[in-house]
Amino acid sequence: MTAFQGIPQSIRLSSSVQQMLGKHLLSCYPQEACGILLGAAAAGGMCIDNYVPIRNVAPDPLHSFVPEPVEWIRALYRDPAPVGLFHSHPNSLPWPSPADLNGLSSLGPEFKVYLIGSPGISHTSAPLLNGFIIQRQDNCGSAQTHTLQHVPLSPA
């Protein structure tokens, strides 16, 4: 696997992380789930090897997420540091919403991966996951721009 201009080409998830994400997503349904991803850059991609769920304390948890502040602060100071964020869209496809895109600027530079999950189409299907790399671009003295690049998910 190679990187294009320093941007990881894929996100690799261990099977245990895939199971943890699916279990957390479904256990929170119909509310949004959220948590942090732990891992490291590896061979042109990001390898996610652990997931830490965080309680969603949003005023409207059916349509948004706000990580519980004490858990969030604790997560930010973990060793190793988090490399990404996960949250779910319980009633829509796992693609970034305008609110998701607006919230990118609040994530520190250690956050490189953004995963969104949705329940499967039926009770017997697996949850759907989409992976994104957070791209940051400096704009000549003005605020930094944040975008998401959709990348493939693969087994670790």
Side-chain angles (χ1 to χ4, degrees), residues 38-63:
L38 304 173
M46 292 296 292
C47 185
I48 306 302
D49 56 20
N50 204 354
Y51 172 67
V52 178
I54 296 178
R55 285 184 301 130
N56 179 1
V57 295
D60 182 10
L62 299 175
H63 301 103

Side-chain angles (χ1 to χ4, degrees), residues 34-109:
C34 62
I36 61 161
L37 303 163
L38 304 173
M46 292 296 292
C47 185
I48 306 302
D49 56 20
N50 204 354
Y51 172 67
V52 178
I54 296 178
R55 285 184 301 130
N56 179 1
V57 295
D60 182 10
L62 299 175
H63 301 103
S64 62
F65 74 97
V66 173
E68 195 283 328
V70 171
E71 293 177 30
W72 180 250
I73 297 297
R74 190 176 299 129
L76 294 178
Y77 289 97
R78 285 184 67 95
D79 186 21
V83 297
L85 179 72
F86 166 78
H87 81 281
S88 65
H89 287 180
N91 299 302
S92 63
L93 293 174
W95 289 97
S97 68
D100 295 338
L101 296 172
N102 287 336
L104 291 174
S105 62
S106 66
L107 296 175

